[in-house]
Amino acid sequence: MSERVVITGAGLVTALGGDRAATWTALGGDRSGAAPVTGFDARGFACRRAAQAAAPDAGALGVSPRDAYIMGRSNLWFLQAARAALAEAGLPAAFADGTDVGCFAALGMIDPLPDDLRAAAARSRGPDGAFDPDRFYADAYREIYPLWPLAILNNVGFCMAATCLGIRGENAVFASGADAGAAALIEAADVVSAGRAAVALAGGAAEAVTPLGLARWHRQASLCPGDGPEPACRPFHPVSGGVIPGEGAAVLVLEQETAARARGAKILAVVAGWGCAGGESAVVRAAEQALTAGAGGSLAVDLWIPHGEGATARDADEAAAYRRLWPRPDAAPPVAAFKGRLGHLGPAALAADAALAVEIIRTGCVPAAWPDGAGADAAPRLPLAAAGPGAAPRTLLLGVRGWTDAVAAVALAAGETS
Amino acid sequence: MSRPPAATDSQPPRRRVVVTGCGMITPLGRTTAETFARALAGESGVGYLTRFDARGLPYTIGGQIPDAWLDDQDGGFARRHRPQLALCTRLLLTAAAEAAAQARLDALPDRTRLGVAVGAHGENPSVDAAMFLHRFTDGQGRWDTAAMARSGGYDYFQFYRRKPDLAPVTLAARYGAGGPNLALVSACAAGAQAIGEGTRLIRDGRCDAMLAGGAESAIDFVGVLGFTLLKAMAERFAAPERASRPFDRKRCGFVMSEGAGVVVLEELDHARARGAAIFGEVLGYGDSADAYRITDTHPAGEGAVLAMRGALADAGLTPEAVEYVNAHGTSTQQNDVTETRAIKAVLGDHARNVAVSSNKSMLGHTIAAAGAIECILSLEGMRRGVLLPTINYEFPDPKCDLDYVPNAARNRAHRVVLSNSFGFGGQNACLCLGRWDE
């Protein structure tokens, strides 16, 4: 990196709160965001719980009903997190000339909702009441709302946010898993480091939990079955029940350190390095890149926040990588994981972990990986950080792993580290 | 003839990125050579839609790729994995096979330093799938998911075919690419963004080579319906092959097409060390957002201006160095006027000296693939010293008053090209490409 990149704002929306402070406070207790799915009858699914965020208030975000329809819940959470991050950074809510402001977003899949097609489907019914394709193709499709195509564009969340915030600089939209969130953060840091943008937003939005979305979750992850209140997602627990889908968004504001300090911005964390890899040993290689990418040689890690999704096999892979990265137990860092509390935020997962890393650096506290002290009688696969104050980590290594096994790692350090 | 930014005391010289392999599949041909030859002759790849029944739709044409062109060019990889591969991924594999063979990628020793960046959007949901789901809702937000599960559920493989990130991951699996893997979903800018981001990954030393490009196949009912509802398609034409007419006064919308383009990007010394042939250089990359309206481009083309200026600045070149612009040129009333304005804003008086043409006049709009295909055609044009034409240019539009290379290719040696890609929703990308002279 040519210039150090720092985080000056971090917005977070999760099932535990509509902002970072609320989420952090809830994490300090014993709450989990996981709960039975609401909004639709999920009884047909094996997994019937999710960490669902509160519905976004489009009006409060200055978004018209028309634009709220185009954006959907997921992209409204992205805008909500972006606004919070900009406010914390002391930057305008909307840039008058955003040519020097970049934005790199990781967005998930957007599903066509049957309700969007309802009128067309109703008009397509034949004499027997069944759907008649000939009627649909002949002219019933004209009942579809003309802006519906916009609502299913993969990049619509970014485009609407850019319009709302006046962002006109470098950008990209990545899809669609947790590794996409890493790409967003890494490319944003690279753009800022190289001076191609003065400020860059980096983050992602989790897919809203819908019937079709939940069906897809079942195809791509090992989910916790059932809908009981027990905390079944326990990353690195020997008998974790599996993954819990999560909702929300996280957005970070990145700037060059010198510029941020010059304008008096509070430095929440330094982006100290990054790496990404695929294939064999990807977790190890990505981590090693992240720890050696910055100036000043290899970084010592005080806390590792791996992907830790709660699926037994994939957690075991990360546990093996941990032992390769730190073969000496006495020199190995403790581990934190949040997906047991917030659910799996998909493309927003890394930025969410980064937002929480900011709080860990600020407070010196590490929240418990498992809510309610659940499974405390079992020895975890990795040495989980002791919950509560006292840890005071200064350098944290974050990791994510996409559905397709693309892996990325990002090192964050306390602001005063040089 | 590239001019990378000079080294300073504080920074080492920037790593240069060259193109060592090109591949494409388009409605004009199954390879770069076939496509270029037919484009050189000013042929159109547009015809009436046969992929699905378009009766009832006001839009009935497109640039389609025959099924017979697929699956036989990559050693059968796509055929073996066909159920989970979207058509765009099969197109991508075909284009990548040509690029990889040209670059002799199989001889690359360290695959951990080979990355992938692909612009693609996966498969559209089918009407059948949407209507299948419709059976299980009551319109009041209540779903009978138990019945849905009992019915056998939703097509297992469609989950995978719809995921945009399956395209780059499949490419990585095919070529054992263990480096960074990016899936870009920036609409019509995605292919160019993939090449731009790939260039940066190499420059930054995060890998030595990249398979980068884009792929799209949205010629299905939902894909066509979407743009029809937005009134963006060419619905009036004398003949399908005359419907895409960028910069012509009687243009009335774009023509949906499909295809894929892939380049092998490589760090210069890395390419030289292994004796790879070099076809051109990526001199610069710029991107921007309109931040204007979701359905409209900025009337002055401000986002396009930012992207083009960014690419030139990244290349360390002045506007006077540009000799040809491979335009986004969609054939919509709005794009072609604003792009003309933007070119004039960036190049100033020099715009009058610069040839501008649109490959979409022949190929139609391949959406996420367009930036990659047009990048390759630009490189090929520089290598051969020829400018591809804008066909169907019959009625000059006073608002589009540049040299659009009308109707016939033109022999002209040129060394620097800007290749524009402006995405629906307001994402813009521009590649500055250079001829390679040893």
Side-chain angles (χ1 to χ4, degrees), chain A residues 363-387:
Chain A
T363 63
C365 295
V366 180
W370 308 331
D372 301 327
D377 53 332
R381 294 177 184 274
L382 290 177
L384 296 177

Side-chain angles (χ1 to χ4, degrees), chain B residues 95-110:
Chain B
E98 182 191 358
Q102 196 170 54
R104 294 186 293 110
L105 213 56
D106 285 342
L108 204 65
D110 183 2

Side-chain angles (χ1 to χ4, degrees), chain A:
Chain A
M1 289 185 287
S2 45
E3 288 283 342
R4 286 220 313 181
V5 176
V6 297
I7 298 171
T8 55
L12 182 62
V13 178
T14 73
L16 287 179
D19 57 32
R20 193 176 89 227
T23 298
W24 182 252
T25 300
L27 282 172
D30 59 3
R31 285 181 55 203
S32 165
V37 167
T38 57
F40 62 94
D41 179 355
R43 277 177 295 178
F45 293 109
C47 171
R48 298 181 294 279
R49 69 187 127 196
Q52 294 184 271
D57 184 345
L61 292 168
V63 175
S64 69
R66 184 199 85 139
D67 288 352
Y69 165 78
I70 294 171
M71 295 176 77
R73 275 188 292 161
S74 173
N75 293 317
L76 286 167
W77 287 320
F78 183 82
L79 181 61
Q80 185 177 340
R83 287 212 189 280
L86 288 169
E88 182 175 29
L91 292 168
F95 293 93
D97 175 14
T99 57
D100 216 11
V101 181
C103 181
F104 293 79
L107 303 174
M109 300 284 293
I110 299 176
D111 298 307
L113 296 174
D115 285 354
D116 290 327
L117 307 175
R118 174 162 302 284
R123 200 168 139 188
S124 303
R125 286 194 182 121
D128 60 353
F131 175 71
D132 178 353
D134 286 343
R135 289 171 186 256
F136 178 84
Y137 290 120
D139 70 351
Y141 72 83
R142 295 174 197 274
E143 296 289 336
I144 296 172
Y145 180 42
L147 295 183
W148 169 72
L150 294 175
I152 60 169
L153 284 178
N154 297 90
N155 63 338
V156 72
F158 163 81
C159 295
M160 296 300 288
T163 302
C164 291
L165 303 173
I167 292 171
R168 300 171 64 206
E170 300 224 1
N171 63 80
V173 181
F174 300 102
S176 60
D179 52 319
L185 177 50
I186 291 169
E187 296 313 307
D190 185 55
V191 159
V192 170
S193 172
R196 294 196 297 272
V199 173
L201 272 61
E207 296 167 13
V209 174
T210 64
L212 197 51
L214 190 53
R216 185 168 49 250
W217 271 104
H218 279 80
R219 296 297 189 197
Q220 65 192 6
S222 177
L223 299 184
C224 281
D227 58 4
E230 75 282 4
C233 176
R234 302 178 190 125
F236 305 111
H237 188 286
V239 287
S240 173
V243 176
I244 293 285
E247 287 185 337
V251 176
L252 310 172
V253 174
L254 306 183
E255 301 178 67
Q256 285 192 357
E257 182 176 21
T258 48
R261 291 195 188 280
R263 70 176 186 87
K266 185 174 182 183
I267 310 299
L268 303 180
V270 176
V271 182
W274 56 75
C276 42
E280 196 176 345
S281 307
V283 176
V284 172
R285 286 189 287 115
E288 287 175 343
Q289 286 175 34
L291 296 176
T292 55
S298 183
L299 292 169
V301 177
D302 299 324
L303 181 70
W304 190 36
I305 307 176
H307 182 65
E309 65 184 27
T312 303
R314 282 162 61 97
D315 283 2
D317 285 348
E318 285 194 298
Y322 175 87
R323 293 185 187 95
R324 279 188 59 189
L325 284 164
W326 296 284
R328 284 178 46 210
D330 60 327
V335 175
F338 304 115
K339 291 184 179 65
R341 316 285 301 276
L342 303 177
H344 191 323
L345 292 171
L350 182 69
D353 283 354
L356 296 172
V358 162
E359 288 294 330
I360 292 172
I361 290 170
R362 182 179 70 83
T363 63
C365 295
V366 180
W370 308 331
D372 301 327
D377 53 332
R381 294 177 184 274
L382 290 177
L384 296 177
R394 313 307 292 165
T395 303
L396 299 84
L397 180 65
L398 284 56
V400 287
R401 185 178 183 189
W403 305 124
T404 51
D405 281 341
V407 169
V410 172
L412 299 181
E416 73 280 8
T417 305
S418 60

